[in-house]
Structure formats: structure tokens, C-alpha cells
Amino acid sequence: GYPGYQASSLGRIRSLDRTVKCKGGTRVHKGKTLKLSVHPNGYLLCAPCVNGKAHNTHVHRLVMLAFVGPLPAGYWTAHNDGNPANNALSNLRHDTVSNNHKDKHTHGTVLAGERVGSAKLTAQDVLQIRALRAAGEPIPALVEKFNVSKANISRICRGAMWSHVGGPLT
């Protein structure tokens, strides 16, 4: 889907030499390695042009497309080591969404607790909530102290939220 480009097994993308028509006739453009940008989630992007229009594309998808073929329906391109910047062919595979999420737990990259950008509490807060509740502190007092909903306090105390943090469960 990206004519005029090549991918290396090390995860680099380059344009090929090409001749372009212009006002004065034709012009030869030498091929070059594309500059990569980093998405906030750590994945590398490049912008190959198709019909004169640049398309921001994940490098890992281009490497797999070049060496393995199109992505099967229901599959994702997964990084074996969990590093989204390592786009070497030897580090990539097509896998199910479920297996890719399991990899996040293996690699320690799953977003939970304080790693979630919108989290209002810290792991220390959760430990304190559970300890206070186990000692008999009423839920409304915990709601007031930690400025979260009654439902969230209840879920935290049951272990339905922040299950990765220890402390007494009620």
C-alpha cells in the first residue's frame, strides 16, 4: 500500500529513488531514510506519501506488512519485548488482541492505579482507605477525606478497584 518505500528488518523505512514530473520537465529525488516521530504512547511513526499526501503510519505495521503481509482480521501487531520503539522484525508478531493485552501484564506496561492519567488517588491513599475502613471508619467519612465517590470507596475496600494494591479488604 506504500509504493516507492522499503522497510528494513531493523525497523527503518526509506523512500526509493524516483523521478518526478515538474514544470521544467523531470526531477530525480534520491531515496532517503524517513525521519521518525514518537507518539506520546512510545510508538514510532513515519509519514510516507501516497499520491502526494503524507500518511502518519506506525513503523511496526509497515515492517510487518513488508515482511509478513497484511494484518489478519482480529489481529494486532505485537512487540515481543513490550518496547513500542523496538521495530525489528525479530521483535514483532501478529497476535490476538487478548494475547497482546496479556503481554502488557508480562511486560509491566498495563495502565493501572497511579499510571492512569486521570487517577485521583495514589497507592498510599488506597492502603490508607483500606486500613481505615478495616478499623471501622464509616464510608461517608472516607468519601469526605479522600474526595472520591461512595461507590469508589466501596469498590476499593472490596478489591474491585486497585486490586494490584495490598491492604485489608472488607
Side-chain angles (χ1 to χ4, degrees):
Y2 295 93
Y5 294 90
Q6 290 178 326
S8 81
S9 62
L10 298 177
R12 291 189 289 260
I13 309 298
R14 74 180 299 273
S15 62
L16 301 174
D17 293 346
R18 63 198 180 280
T19 303
V20 179
K21 292 181 183 178
C22 56
K23 289 182 182 178
T26 59
R27 184 174 172 185
V28 176
H29 289 274
K30 294 288 288 173
K32 62 181 180 178
T33 302
L34 271 59
K35 291 181 181 176
L36 304 180
S37 60
V38 181
H39 190 274
N41 61 15
Y43 290 93
L44 298 180
L45 302 168
C46 66
C49 291
V50 178
N51 297 325
K53 186 173 179 180
H55 295 268
N56 274 335
T57 308
H58 288 91
V59 173
H60 63 271
R61 291 185 183 161
L62 294 175
V63 171
M64 288 296 281
L65 183 62
F67 289 96
V68 178
L71 188 65
Y75 279 72
W76 283 7
T77 300
H79 292 79
N80 295 327
D81 67 358
N83 177 1
N86 181 358
N87 294 307
L89 179 61
S90 61
N91 186 51
L92 301 174
R93 71 182 192 283
H94 287 158
D95 209 338
T96 63
V97 173
S98 174
N99 284 339
N100 199 32
H101 284 298
K102 288 176 188 173
D103 283 351
K104 291 180 182 181
H105 289 281
T106 303
H107 300 133
T109 57
V110 68
L111 291 180
E114 295 170 67
R115 296 181 72 183
V116 175
S118 60
K120 292 183 179 180
L121 301 171
T122 65
Q124 200 62 32
D125 292 336
V126 170
L127 288 171
Q128 191 176 4
I129 288 169
R130 288 179 179 160
L132 289 170
R133 183 70 183 127
E137 186 83 20
I139 288 179
L142 295 172
V143 167
E144 181 73 27
K145 181 173 183 173
F146 292 95
N147 195 28
V148 292
S149 71
K150 179 180 175 183
N152 281 348
I153 294 290
S154 179
R155 288 184 193 112
I156 288 167
C157 292
R158 288 192 326 263
M161 286 177 63
W162 291 78
S163 59
H164 63 286
V165 175
L169 299 177
T170 57

